[in-house]
Amino acid sequence: DTAVSQTPKYLVTQMGNDKSIKCEQNLGHDTMYWYKQDSKKFLKIMFSYNNKELIINETVPNRFSPKSPDKAHLNLHINSLELGDSAVYFCASSPTTGSEQYFGPGTRLTVT
Amino acid sequence: AQSVAQPEDQVNVAEGNPLTVKCTYSVSGNPYLFWYVQYPNRGLQFLLKYITGDNLVKGSYGFEAEFNKSQTSFHLKKPSALVSDSALYFCAVNIVNRDDKIIFGKGTRLHILP
């Protein structure tokens, strides 16, 4: 029983394409997040949603758009992909704001 | 501004010896502090947290951490290291307000020598 799942695990695409990454949690948590981990393993928060409402929207290009159809899902859509978008993207969830987070396995995005 | 520092990129410890992974923070309010571990090609796993109360917190896999307010530190410790503890460790700080923003340190690679 995977608590936080992401699909796909690997995504290889060309510059200029549009792609989506899906995230689902079956923990009943109220809050979900998207993180980007670069090649040096530096982890940066991108978005945070609480009960489907956007809480955090860090300084990311507006080519990135999160969508939360319900409390258990937070998808990430990326338009006009660029080489610099290559990274591992992690979804996470937490029971409430400020509590520990549970991470998905990550999606490795490679833009060529 | 909030920040978290992990001063060591890598820590090498012999199996069976005690280990310490350092973390210091800078916040303007009362911090919520966390440690996470990341194994290769995996997501982060929560180890332990400090919110309030006893300065020594115990977590998963025999790890513990001590909150030191005067030194603004939250070092991760384990009395006896295992080879399986080799991984990337992240310290994180959160000040719970409307924004719920969490800041991660850059990570420390722990290498346990058999």
Side-chain angles (χ1 to χ4, degrees):
Chain A
D1 290 341
T2 304
V4 182
S5 59
Q6 295 178 228
T7 53
K9 189 168 176 62
Y10 299 97
L11 186 52
V12 180
T13 188
Q14 292 184 328
M15 285 175 55
N17 284 350
D18 303 339
K19 291 293 179 186
S20 291
I21 306 172
K22 294 186 176 181
C23 177
E24 176 181 2
Q25 55 97 0
N26 62 7
L27 298 167
H29 289 170
D30 285 342
T31 310
M32 296 185 72
Y33 309 82
W34 276 110
Y35 289 89
K36 179 180 180 180
Q37 186 174 45
D38 63 23
S39 58
K40 295 185 178 179
K41 303 299 185 183
F42 186 69
L43 198 66
K44 190 164 191 290
I45 190 166
M46 300 172 68
F47 302 103
S48 166
Y49 269 72
N50 184 263
N51 274 320
K52 296 172 40 180
E53 180 186 346
L54 182 64
I55 301 297
I56 295 173
N57 185 352
E58 282 297 284
T59 311
V60 299
N62 57 16
R63 299 182 293 103
F64 290 78
S65 55
K67 279 192 170 52
S68 182
D70 56 58
K71 219 170 69 163
H73 296 85
L74 181 61
N75 303 323
L76 184 65
H77 188 76
I78 316 169
N79 289 330
S80 304
L81 279 154
E82 300 177 357
L83 292 176
D85 296 332
S86 296
V88 180
Y89 292 84
F90 287 101
C91 176
S93 72
S94 67
T96 61
T97 54
S99 58
E100 65 274 16
Q101 297 181 19
Y102 295 81
F103 283 74
T107 296
R108 183 175 295 276
L109 172 65
T110 304
V111 182
T112 61
Chain B
Q2 279 174 236
S3 66
V4 178
Q6 293 182 243
E8 302 150 320
D9 289 337
Q10 180 162 317
V11 171
N12 298 320
V13 177
E15 187 178 23
N17 282 2
L19 68 88
T20 298
V21 183
K22 295 179 181 177
C23 173
T24 59
Y25 63 91
S26 174
V27 300
S28 56
N30 291 323
Y32 287 21
L33 294 157
F34 303 85
W35 275 102
Y36 290 85
V37 60
Q38 185 178 26
Y39 296 100
N41 301 312
R42 304 284 294 275
L44 278 69
Q45 292 179 36
F46 167 71
L47 276 180
L48 50 80
K49 67 181 177 184
Y50 172 82
I51 294 177
T52 186
D54 194 350
N55 288 346
L56 184 65
V57 292
K58 295 188 184 295
S60 306
Y61 311 121
F63 283 94
E64 58 189 28
E66 185 166 12
F67 171 65
N68 188 318
K69 189 172 184 177
S70 62
Q71 296 185 5
T72 61
S73 67
F74 190 57
H75 301 331
L76 181 70
K77 299 183 180 187
K78 186 173 181 180
S80 179
L82 300 172
V83 172
S84 57
D85 292 331
S86 299
L88 185 58
Y89 290 79
F90 290 95
C91 181
V93 65
N94 188 354
I95 296 183
V96 179
N97 54 25
R98 192 181 66 86
D99 292 335
D100 184 30
K101 184 173 176 179
I102 187 167
I103 305 292
F104 282 84
K106 64 178 174 62
T108 298
R109 191 163 297 282
L110 179 62
H111 187 48
I112 307 301
L113 307 167

